Amino acid sequence: MIRKFVEKFHLDPPKTLVLGFALIIMIGTILLTLPASTVNGMGLPWLDALFTATSATCVTGLVVVDTGSTFTLFGQLVILSLIQIGGLGFMTFATFFALIMRKKISLRERLILQESLNQMTIEGVVRLAKMILIFTALAELLGGILLSIRFAFDFPLGTAIYYGFFHSISNFNNAGFDLMGDFASLTRYVDDPVVTLVVCALIIIGGIGFMVVSEVYDYRHTHRLSLHTKVVLSTTALLVIVGTVLIFFLEYTNPKTLQPLSMMGKILGSLYQSVTPRTAGSNTLSIGDMHQSTLFLIILLMFIGASPGSTGGGIKTTTFATLVGAVIAQIKGKEDVIFFRQRILPHMIYKSLTVTMVGLFIVMAITMALSITEPGAPFEMILFEVTSAFATTGLSMGLTPELSSVGKFLIALTMFAGRVGPLTIAFALAQRKQKEYYRYPKGKITIG
């Protein structure tokens, strides 16, 4: 249906992506309003259904109702399907079905797939889509098996298997939806090494980008990694390590988070809370009980987010690394930004700056709007919730279920903008630049 609509109206890739995500959200909203979706047999109110469908499709994880106790099996499977489609991209699935039916992938579809996967060229995008589907299936299968074995000690076997695969799919796609009830997420497993390490691995693998995974897998044959992969891996490792250490020390004496735990529990809790802001959304410590310094750190980690071509959101690790590199180069008085003995082109720095500034503008604008519509909410809760929505993270201090109707709509809009906005901006910046036949004279202004 989308293909025919695109061909009829000659939509370009960015518009097609926006249309595709909007259509999936609309279908999900309708399904969640059905009586079969909720335990009470009444279905969700349309606004709550829209919010939940948007959160699932945009792999965010913010919820206005508890997933485990509100939805029936049908409703939960609808949410899980939206997470899977939203995480991998509807074009990846469209390509999969086209290949099964042995249909030729047209040039237009390859361009849309290129945009969906955040690739620079259309070369190899179909092969990459195949690899993504296979790798995703294997990662979610392995994660589901390991979590099912662990949950079997706490739940009946059938429930344990279902919970294991639900949380594996949810966290690999960086969605953060859970079935534990009472908005508790995975807090009961804060000091459990199996749950913590398995889920952290799923979040990181799903968040570093499929192109990086492909290069790492092929490294045994090629013995080389691209600059992109090196920057992603090094930045991700640095953010995880620094985040873990800072959270450990900031929350060490907090009686509501780390203090009651053993040393191993403190380390596992700090690690999980360092990894999950990378747009995953599940948590093992109570977010609302953390110190303000820790919350501010998490806001920064959420805004940075995951890596390009992944299931996560945020401005992306490569954008953050490029801006930091530009600042360091400027301080040192150097003209070029150098990573691993390679020079970053100036237009990449401008692109990074543009994506960051647009992200900041969205967060500031929605935060200001919610400060008006939610006058009783503390400012830090509003800023935290908006950043979480924009970065499609899903972590919450507890404000989301208490939002007004206007507030819910604004957060849903922010999630949608955070999911499709950066893709559209990146594509627009990658278009052919018009040749300039003249240039204005140089001018000087005072900076700083």
Side-chain angles (χ1 to χ4, degrees), residues 9 42 53 135 162 185 190 193 199 217 327 340 357 371 387 398 436:
F9 292 95
M42 300 176 62
F135 176 76
Y162 176 59
S185 194
V190 60
V199 174
Y217 178 78
V327 171
F340 298 99
M357 291 305 297
S371 298
T387 307
E436 295 181 351

Side-chain angles (χ1 to χ4, degrees), residues 176-343:
F177 280 82
D178 71 275
L179 302 176
M180 296 302 172
D182 298 324
F183 299 99
S185 194
L186 298 175
T187 52
R188 64 185 294 184
Y189 296 103
V190 60
D191 55 355
D192 189 294
V194 175
V195 174
T196 297
L197 296 179
V198 169
V199 174
C200 282
L202 288 169
I203 294 170
I204 292 173
I205 293 173
I208 61 175
F210 298 109
M211 185 171 69
V212 173
V213 172
S214 177
E215 282 196 19
V216 171
Y217 178 78
D218 292 336
Y219 181 78
R220 55 181 179 172
H221 302 300
T222 62
H223 300 290
R224 62 177 294 275
L225 295 175
S226 67
L227 176 62
H228 170 82
T229 296
K230 292 177 181 178
V231 171
V232 166
L233 293 178
S234 58
T235 305
T236 299
L238 181 63
L239 290 173
V240 170
I241 293 171
V242 172
T244 300
V245 172
L246 289 177
I247 291 174
F248 180 85
F249 286 108
L250 290 173
E251 293 295 315
Y252 190 87
T253 58
N254 189 339
K256 296 182 179 180
T257 55
L258 290 184
Q259 188 186 54
L261 303 175
S262 64
M263 181 56 67
M264 179 58 69
K266 288 182 173 67
I267 295 173
L268 291 174
S270 301
L271 172 65
Y272 198 100
Q273 267 53 235
S274 175
V275 171
T276 194
R278 316 305 304 290
T279 82
S282 56
N283 57 284
T284 58
L285 294 176
S286 175
I287 301 298
D289 291 327
M290 290 181 172
H291 293 313
Q292 285 188 338
S293 55
T294 311
L295 293 173
F296 184 69
L297 171 64
I298 291 177
I299 288 175
L300 294 178
L301 292 175
M302 289 192 299
F303 188 74
I304 295 171
S307 301
S310 71
T311 59
I315 63 170
K316 303 298 190 293
T317 52
T318 48
T319 302
F320 172 72
T322 301
L323 291 180
V324 171
V327 171
I328 294 175
Q330 190 69 24
I331 291 175
K332 291 183 176 181
K334 296 182 178 180
E335 184 176 347
D336 296 326
V337 177
I338 306 297
F339 288 144
F340 298 99
R341 297 184 179 181
Q342 295 187 58
R343 178 170 56 92

